[in-house]
Amino acid sequence: MTTAPDPRPILDLFRIGGRHAVVTGAAQGIGFEIAKGLAQAGARVTIADLNPDVGEAAAASIGGTFEVLDVTDVAAVAALAARLPDVEILVNNAGIVRNTPAEDTPDDDWRAVMTVNVDGVFWCCREFGRAMLARGRGSIVSTASMSGMISNHPQPQAAYNASKAAVIHLTRSLAGEWASRGVRVNCVSPGYTATPMTKRGLDTPEWRATWLGETPMGRLAEPFEIAPAVLYLASDAASFVTGHSLVVDGGYVCW
């Protein structure tokens, strides 16, 4: 089976005008920059986040809308998907980390990380994916991490690493199931990025020295540097890309 060449100029393939995009965990940080980038490319953006105080202002600043969403509440995810049946782009960005030694990790911390980072991604993929499959088109992009490919050090974070590895493999699994039905599923795997969560780690001298010293580019990413990768995967520019983890890490995993 062959596909006729797309007659549009190549830059037009990145434009997503008129498409409805939902970005979870987008009140600030990487998620907000993703939401802003999608809006600038023409999408109607819904920011779905736990924090209405920050989220409503974030949505207003990009001309989008805001919905309160706890991605760990499967009923809430299903209800939002039912209210927004026209979503063509889903970005699963909500995530948390716990930096505790494995032998001292409380059960509640392990479950919290897995519930947000893995269960929440699956609930959103499943619920929003149903409408995409029914229409025969859609693009899902999840925020994984280079931590799903390597074991970070010196900070302890076994739960986070395992959760992001699960996101990468869930991405591949869903991509294989849904490719023939018109839905592409990919993920972005950032390296150390200058978000409030990561900046706290920079206050620990040993962590800072290792993070910067082992990144070939010698710096952290800025959140806006992750957004173009998501736009690419979400747009028609990536029409033959599915099941892929696009690493944006300043070269960290190449050493």
Side-chain angles (χ1 to χ4, degrees):
M1 177 180 177
T2 60
T3 302
D6 195 308
R8 292 174 291 175
I10 193 166
L11 289 180
D12 286 350
L13 299 179
F14 290 88
R15 298 189 174 100
I16 49 177
R19 300 182 195 181
H20 190 179
V22 167
V23 186
T24 69
Q28 58 186 343
I30 292 174
F32 174 70
E33 294 297 335
I34 291 170
K36 182 169 70 173
L38 295 179
Q40 290 173 348
R44 294 183 295 115
V45 177
T46 297
I47 288 177
D49 196 284
L50 269 176
N51 189 336
D53 295 333
V54 179
E56 288 177 356
S61 74
I62 63 170
T65 57
F66 176 76
E67 295 279 351
V68 175
L69 180 65
D70 178 355
V71 298
T72 71
D73 182 343
V74 65
V77 173
L80 182 60
R83 290 202 307 276
L84 305 176
D86 63 337
V87 170
E88 292 188 57
I89 298 169
L90 169 66
V91 181
N92 295 303
N93 177 74
I96 62 171
V97 66
R98 296 285 188 271
N99 293 117
T100 54
E103 70 274 19
D104 298 324
T105 299
D107 293 349
D108 288 348
D109 278 7
W110 175 270
R111 284 282 6 123
V113 171
M114 292 297 171
T115 302
V116 175
N117 294 5
V118 183
D119 295 350
V121 170
F122 179 69
W123 303 149
C124 290
C125 287
R126 185 182 67 185
E127 299 305 322
F128 284 95
R130 286 183 175 132
M132 294 180 183
L133 291 166
R135 285 194 305 271
R137 67 181 184 278
S139 178
I140 297 173
V141 184
S142 299
T143 302
S145 172
M146 70 174 186
S147 303
M149 305 166 61
I150 52 102
S151 177
N152 302 66
H153 73 106
Q155 75 274 22
Q157 54 182 52
Y160 182 82
N161 296 349
S163 73
K164 292 304 184 177
V167 170
I168 293 170
H169 207 59
L170 176 61
T171 294
R172 295 184 183 119
S173 298
L174 294 177
E177 284 193 38
W178 293 352
S180 65
R181 299 166 69 186
V183 177
R184 296 185 299 105
V185 187
N186 293 287
C187 61
V188 151
S189 290
Y192 293 116
T193 305
T195 64
M197 182 171 66
T198 304
K199 285 177 179 177
R200 289 194 296 270
L202 291 176
D203 292 335
T204 303
E206 182 188 7
W207 294 17
R208 179 186 180 90
T210 301
W211 294 0
L212 297 180
E214 296 193 6
T215 300
M217 292 183 71
R219 65 175 179 87
L220 274 63
E222 293 297 329
F224 75 85
E225 293 181 290
I226 311 303
V230 176
L231 173 60
Y232 164 66
L233 292 173
S235 74
D236 292 345
S239 58
F240 199 57
V241 180
T242 197
H244 182 63
S245 174
L246 178 51
V247 181
V248 187
D249 69 345
Y252 193 99
V253 302
C254 75
W255 279 350

